Amino acid sequence: MSAINIEHLTVSYQKNTENLPVLSDVSLAVPSGTVCAVIGPSGCGKSTMLKVAAGLIKDYKGQVTVGGRPLDTRSMTIGFMPQSYGLLPWRTVAENIRLGRKVMGLWQESDEERLKELASRLGLEGLLERYPHELSGGQQQRVSLARVFLLQPDILLMDEPFSALDAITREEMQDVFRELWQQESITTILVTHYVEEALYLGGQIAVMGGDGKISELLDNPAGDTPLRRSDERFFQLGRQLRQKLKPQQPGRGGEGL
Ligand code: ADP
């Protein structure tokens, strides 16, 4: 388990000769063994911040450390879950689950036992020889979760992992994630645009505005124990969070949040 520290992060994209600023002096500290949910309107730079932490964007100003050491993808194991699940269509479910550890050169024969255990906990045991296109969205997401938890990364970065799922499956997958996460407690940044998801999964909630900055950092009063979705406090916090998000997205009326 490693804390993630992002300090004074500034990122711009270059388009032709134009400089497009996206993140401006963003700092975020995610304590070891916690989940930080990052929420904000589309286009505010959430994925960009995640890609920096994943080592995918290298051109930035500021500092990113993992477990107190400067980010280095060669000596650290970083779990990255993209929106689209990141499964290879020509590989079976079992091969896709093994892939994370194999790519990192960490695969050992003894991992096969853990793979089976994870597959059974995720209800994938009968699907291991199938290909991704033979699975539902929720099942594909389970494969992606199995892969990232089998990897046992130092940190976990999730980019709107449940957004392509229908509402019922999304809530089911949030529960599956919580259950797996509670055993491993991997330091996690979870990007989402759903208020409920941020409240349900985030120990901390960072609100990003359209100005490329974090406008607010909230401690989830429920801490590590999830607030039940039917809890009155869940509704109240949801209302508060929507209120904080509103001024930064005029005209959108909180759609999708
Ligand atoms: P979010 O995840 O909050 O939706 P992103 O980090 O994906 O936001 O994008 C932030 C801004 O940067 C957006 O305006 C987007 O169009 C722009 N952007 C993202 N990736 C690139 C890129 N590779 N080149 C140029 N602009 C980009």
Side-chain angles (χ1 to χ4, degrees):
M1 281 195 288
S2 305
I4 307 169
N5 255 297
I6 296 172
E7 288 177 276
H8 307 296
L9 178 65
T10 298
V11 183
S12 301
Y13 289 111
Q14 301 296 329
K15 196 157 192 201
N16 304 322
T17 54
E18 230 185 316
N19 192 42
L20 304 165
V22 179
L23 296 174
S24 160
D25 198 18
V26 167
S27 295
L28 181 67
V30 186
S32 183
T34 66
V35 178
C36 178
V38 178
I39 189 162
S42 183
C44 70
K46 304 182 294 296
S47 297
T48 301
M49 182 169 75
L50 215 59
K51 284 179 189 157
V52 169
L56 298 170
I57 293 178
K58 295 188 167 61
D59 189 12
Y60 61 86
K61 288 202 185 91
Q63 216 196 2
V64 182
T65 60
V66 173
R69 290 185 296 136
L71 179 69
D72 173 17
T73 50
R74 286 163 307 177
S75 65
M76 295 164 179
T77 310
I78 295 172
F80 184 71
M81 258 182 80
Q83 258 181 60
S84 52
Y85 318 130
L87 304 182
L88 297 182
W90 60 89
R91 295 275 178 97
T92 63
V93 165
E95 287 166 349
N96 265 291
I97 297 174
R98 289 183 198 112
L99 200 68
R101 283 188 79 75
K102 287 209 165 169
V103 165
M104 294 299 293
L106 299 169
W107 179 261
Q108 294 174 340
E109 277 313 307
S110 56
D111 290 330
E112 203 60 43
E113 205 50 48
R114 279 191 53 239
L115 186 155
K116 290 213 179 81
E117 196 190 309
L118 266 170
S120 131
R121 276 172 60 198
L122 287 163
L124 294 169
E125 63 273 68
L127 307 174
L128 289 172
E129 295 315 312
R130 288 209 196 167
Y131 288 86
H133 75 271
E134 299 171 312
L135 304 179
S136 68
Q139 289 168 333
Q140 290 184 38
Q141 183 59 269
R142 285 167 190 264
V143 177
S144 189
L145 278 174
R147 171 154 82 195
V148 89
F149 278 94
L150 185 71
L151 178 62
Q152 292 189 308
D154 295 310
I155 60 167
L156 177 55
L157 307 169
M158 303 171 88
D159 193 359
E160 303 200 15
F162 311 122
S163 64
L165 304 171
D166 62 83
I168 304 284
T169 314
R170 186 162 61 238
E171 290 193 356
E172 194 183 298
M173 291 312 301
Q174 289 165 356
D175 288 336
V176 169
F177 168 74
R178 272 214 79 106
E179 206 183 293
L180 286 175
W181 187 87
Q182 270 168 341
Q183 300 204 339
E184 311 277 342
S185 297
I186 303 165
T187 314
T188 301
I189 299 181
L190 169 94
V191 162
T192 181
H193 64 265
Y194 291 102
V195 164
E196 278 75 18
E197 189 161 287
L199 282 175
Y200 193 57
L201 299 178
Q204 272 190 120
I205 302 162
V207 181
M208 278 186 86
D211 55 356
K213 291 182 188 295
I214 290 177
S215 57
E216 193 107 28
L217 190 63
L218 308 168
D219 278 323
N220 193 334
D224 277 345
T225 28
L227 270 180
R228 276 184 301 129
R229 296 184 183 95
S230 56
D231 193 310
E232 176 58 25
R233 282 186 301 164
F234 195 85
F235 288 110
Q236 280 175 8
L237 281 165
R239 247 198 317 269
Q240 279 173 26
L241 202 49
R242 277 197 183 80
Q243 214 55 39
K244 291 183 195 304
L245 285 159
K246 247 185 192 161
Q248 284 126 32
Q249 45 175 351
R252 285 196 44 164
E255 188 199 344
L257 298 168

